[in-house]
Amino acid sequence: MIDPATNRAYIVKLGVLALALAAYFYLPGIQEFITSGLSYLRLRNFEGLRQFILSYGVWAPMTSILLMAVQSMVPLVPGIAITITNAWIFGWELGALYSWIGALLGATLDFAIARWYGRPVVERFISGEMLDKTDGFFKRNGVLAVFITRLTPIVPFKVVSYGAGLTKMSPLRFIIATGIGQTPAIVLYSFLGQNLTRSLRATIAVTSLLMALGFTAYYFRDTLEKYFFSTPDKEP
């Protein structure tokens, strides 16, 4: 016999999924917003993306934040394109802020999807082999793994977020580690955003610096764990 609490949880999960699908197919503008925005991102069409965001007028900042959140759930869609475009539109300070909020919101959504719906659903977004490697890294390093991987542009954000959601890591600790870890990359890419599309050397320099930060954090992981993440999450 199914426990009543478990049965209610299933109903809530199915209800949330049904509402999301209904919004996508029936609310005016939602489907067009998602398909058009993701199309510009896949094509790395910075000018098209810029015009798309600006077309929403006073809602442009919210548009940028929501688009950043949506792209986090879709494989092979680069969020860095939004970060660079935000710097062009709003200036690097506000652009970095909007990108930071959108990235954190998207990561939290990915984490929640994995936590709520489990591995079978996550494997529709991320390959099982990649998830296995992510699981091993989380088991070795706990919440610090989130912080380290957010520093570097090598590991896709969505892989980390989905992987963390499948562990026993608390949502609050995930959000804190993500918020802190993603800050250097977003600030640097925003500050140099206008040059990144024109200068290969600038791109290499920023990426190399972020990788160095990631490796440094990994080297001093025991010290970081002691002072900032002193109660490691227990993995299943």
Side-chain angles (χ1 to χ4, degrees):
M1 184 176 178
I2 299 178
D3 180 70
T6 302
N7 193 40
R8 285 194 296 270
Y10 284 140
I11 293 173
V12 170
K13 291 176 183 179
L14 288 174
V16 170
L17 183 59
L19 285 174
L21 290 173
Y24 179 77
F25 286 108
Y26 297 109
L27 281 182
I30 296 295
Q31 189 171 358
E32 181 182 357
F33 171 84
I34 293 175
T35 55
S36 297
L38 294 183
S39 176
Y40 289 124
L41 288 171
R42 286 194 180 98
L43 296 173
R44 274 73 167 178
N45 185 345
F46 291 95
E47 180 58 30
L49 183 61
R50 177 177 176 273
Q51 294 299 327
F52 174 75
I53 293 173
L54 287 174
S55 70
Y56 285 85
V58 295
W59 296 102
M62 184 61 68
T63 300
S64 168
I65 290 171
L66 291 178
L67 187 58
M68 177 73 90
V70 169
Q71 68 79 30
S72 75
M73 296 182 283
V74 182
L76 305 178
V77 177
I80 190 175
I82 305 178
T83 302
I84 294 172
T85 304
N86 282 345
W88 286 358
I89 298 173
F90 308 108
W92 80 265
E93 299 96 333
L94 285 177
L97 175 62
Y98 298 149
S99 297
W100 187 90
I101 294 171
L104 185 61
L105 177 59
T108 304
L109 285 173
D110 294 343
F111 181 92
I113 289 172
R115 180 62 53 90
W116 265 41
Y117 296 103
R119 192 179 185 99
V121 172
V122 171
E123 286 183 344
R124 293 181 178 273
F125 299 93
I126 305 297
S127 71
E129 182 181 355
M130 186 172 288
L131 276 178
D132 289 338
K133 293 179 180 178
T134 306
D135 288 342
F137 190 59
F138 278 123
K139 287 179 180 179
R140 290 192 301 273
N141 299 285
V143 71
L144 189 61
V146 176
F147 175 76
I148 292 173
T149 51
R150 294 305 191 200
L151 284 173
T152 65
I154 303 302
V155 182
F157 266 31
K158 51 184 66 72
V159 174
V160 178
S161 303
Y162 284 130
L166 295 174
T167 71
K168 291 184 178 180
M169 186 181 303
S170 73
L172 179 60
R173 299 186 76 201
F174 170 80
I175 290 171
I176 292 173
T178 297
I180 297 173
Q182 72 181 10
T183 300
I186 288 176
V187 169
L188 283 172
Y189 280 122
S190 296
F191 184 71
L192 299 176
Q194 293 184 0
N195 292 324
L196 287 174
T197 56
R198 304 172 191 165
S199 172
L200 178 61
R201 283 186 293 182
T203 305
I204 294 174
V206 172
T207 303
S208 299
L209 175 60
L210 292 171
M211 289 179 64
L213 285 173
F215 284 124
T216 301
Y218 183 76
Y219 183 80
F220 292 103
R221 61 190 181 280
D222 293 336
T223 302
L224 290 171
E225 186 77 38
K226 177 181 177 181
Y227 287 102
F228 298 103
F229 307 105
S230 57
T231 56
D233 293 285
K234 295 180 180 179
E235 304 296 337

